[in-house]
Amino acid sequence: MHPWLVRNILYPVHERLMGRPTFSLLKELEESQWLSAARLRELQADKLRQLFCHVSRSVHSYRQWFRTQQIEPASANPFAVLKRLPLVDKRTLAEQVVVWDRLSSRSNDPGAPGVRLSHIGRRVKLMSTGGSTGEPLRFLVDSVRSAYDKAARMRTHRWFGVEPGDKEAYLWGAPIANHRQGRAHALRDFFLNDLLLSAFNLSTDSTRRYLRKMAAFKPACVFGYPSSLAKFCQFARGLEQMPRLGALKAVFVTGEVLDDQQRNILEDFFQAPVADSYGGRDSGFCAHECEHGHMHVTSEHIVMEIIDTQAHGFESVGFGETGEIVVTNLDNFATPFIRYRTGDMGRRLDITCPCGRGLEVMDVVAGRRTDHLVASDGSLRHALSLIYLMRETEGVDQFQIHQQRDRSIDVQVVASRGLSEKSRDHVLRGVRKCLGESLSTRLHIVERIDCQPSGKLRHVVSEATEPTKRPG
């Protein structure tokens, strides 16, 4: 489909039919990205007040909190209020705020605990996180938040010369759909210039097919998880086939921490810049890398805090210091995510980017806390400490490290040429050196390691929990 037709007619019509003001918000975001940091802060303050007024009327737990604290949300300093509100995680959010049967009731009773959206004209839909290490979180997303996420993504694509409606190839975890849904999705992808390639069970044969499809499709950009795309590139290298993608402008990645090795693999293979992004189905589109390599927060849509969750009182940390990323989504009135603990580790950077945008700059320095490992003394070890060990071990083609609830370690290794005793010993000694000699460590040689249902391949999965300090 011709990109001009998609950009100017088909895509805007699709978004209007879905009840999303995406293109009007895109126009706003194109202008607001050049505002000063101070002006963006004022915009956040206005949105915070609106959000606080909404939840103080519509969400039982927040209405009680504002009443108990004797705070008038319309007039109080919104950033001071935000710092006083409690942090929430998946469990507390599920228990206290987003109970689905209450949300769906749309009760007009002022004392009802649900969120009512009929009076603000927003459509809502039920979504859930993957729940890879526990029960998935079910929550509501309204049409304005969905539109902001899409518009922010379009804006960041434009940073690399990719316009809405340009052809985009996705290497993604394709959801299972029935025949009718599959045909509808395929028709939608055709009219919106999207090519979906399943990241499940990548192999030499599937890579060969995908290379042919990409060459015929001629995408302006490629999108996917870094691990899946790197794996695709390695299979293609084995076939000694390079994609003929002269129109390719960028490779966009998300969902995992992008390491230098993966970036180099992708840039070398696709011969295009690689741009990282940060966000989630729950928190929304939070940040994206610009053409100068800095990660900019979507400040018009998100308030991001970096919190030391191990310290007394859960205090914010300074610029350049690492802490847990805590997000307040300013535009989802359906299920308010206010001071939501993402479980990811990052830091705010006090720098001015050469791109000239006033958006905050941050860095995702580590994956989820569930991807951190707990040593025998209860301290945390970053996943990369063992990822590097495995990558330097001779004979390891693919691996996954799984820490059980009792902190014991299972290391799964795919080794097509076999794994020598020297390599086995290197892995076991490295794990014990990192986490402690007392932890039980088991190494398993397997034929394959499956991706998650989303299409991600997680190198480290930890179900162990470290001793936590709570504010007094």
Side-chain angles (χ1 to χ4, degrees), residues 60-296:
H60 178 65
S61 57
Y62 285 112
R63 182 167 62 249
Q64 285 188 320
W65 186 88
F66 277 100
R67 185 179 299 160
T68 302
Q69 300 295 320
Q70 297 182 325
I71 292 174
E72 175 49 56
S75 57
N77 181 329
F79 292 107
V81 173
L82 185 67
K83 287 187 178 298
R84 292 178 61 182
L85 281 162
L87 303 184
V88 299
D89 55 20
K90 281 187 179 182
R91 176 173 295 179
T92 56
L93 196 64
E95 291 175 351
Q96 298 175 17
V97 182
V98 291
V99 180
W100 167 242
D101 59 349
R102 293 175 177 177
L103 287 169
S104 61
S105 67
R106 304 291 187 273
S107 171
N108 291 319
D109 177 4
V115 176
R116 302 182 302 280
L117 294 173
S118 57
H119 63 293
I120 57 175
R122 298 189 181 191
R123 296 184 186 180
V124 296
K125 64 178 179 179
L126 178 65
M127 295 179 66
S128 66
T129 57
S132 56
T133 56
E135 288 299 315
L137 172 66
R138 284 155 48 95
F139 57 96
L140 288 172
V141 169
D142 67 48
S143 54
V144 173
R145 187 210 120 159
S146 294
Y148 260 107
D149 286 344
K150 284 182 170 291
R153 186 170 179 269
M154 289 176 180
R155 176 177 71 178
T156 55
H157 275 37
R158 277 182 166 171
W159 296 350
F160 293 85
V162 179
E163 292 289 331
D166 284 350
K167 293 182 177 181
E168 184 164 13
Y170 295 78
L171 190 64
W172 203 246
I176 298 173
N178 60 39
H179 182 65
R180 180 177 295 178
Q181 288 176 325
R183 290 183 62 183
H185 291 169
L187 192 62
R188 179 198 62 192
D189 291 346
F190 172 76
F191 282 114
L192 298 184
N193 271 347
D194 292 338
L195 173 67
L196 179 60
L197 306 171
S198 175
F200 292 130
N201 303 325
L202 279 172
S203 64
T204 301
D205 290 340
S206 63
T207 298
R208 187 179 287 110
R209 291 196 306 273
Y210 293 171
L211 287 168
R212 288 197 300 267
K213 288 184 176 182
M214 280 189 178
F217 187 63
K218 294 182 175 57
C221 62
V222 174
F223 184 89
Y225 296 121
S227 61
S228 299
L229 286 169
K231 187 177 179 183
F232 168 77
C233 293
Q234 289 164 347
F235 273 120
R237 288 285 190 194
L239 293 169
E240 298 184 351
Q241 287 184 253
M242 295 293 290
R244 297 184 295 276
L245 304 176
L248 193 69
K249 297 178 180 178
V251 177
F252 299 111
V253 298
T254 192
E256 302 164 342
V257 176
L258 172 69
D259 62 39
D260 291 340
Q261 182 187 45
Q262 290 169 333
R263 185 186 290 272
N264 291 337
I265 289 172
L266 300 183
E267 287 181 343
D268 181 62
F269 183 81
F270 288 108
Q271 294 295 296
V274 174
D276 198 5
S277 64
Y278 172 68
R281 291 170 66 84
D282 44 11
S283 54
F285 189 98
C286 296
H288 199 282
E289 188 176 353
C290 77
E291 64 272 29
H292 292 277
H294 290 136
M295 188 80 79
H296 290 278

Side-chain angles (χ1 to χ4, degrees), residues 350-364:
D350 187 17
I351 61 175
T352 301
C353 182
C355 74
R357 297 178 180 92
L359 307 171
E360 291 180 84
V361 181
M362 59 88 67
D363 186 20
V364 181

Side-chain angles (χ1 to χ4, degrees), residues 393-394 418-430 443-445:
T393 302
E394 185 176 353
L419 200 65
S420 68
E421 286 300 321
K422 181 180 178 181
S423 292
R424 289 171 184 259
D425 184 59
H426 179 70
V427 169
L428 293 174
R429 281 191 294 108
L443 191 150
H444 313 275
I445 305 299

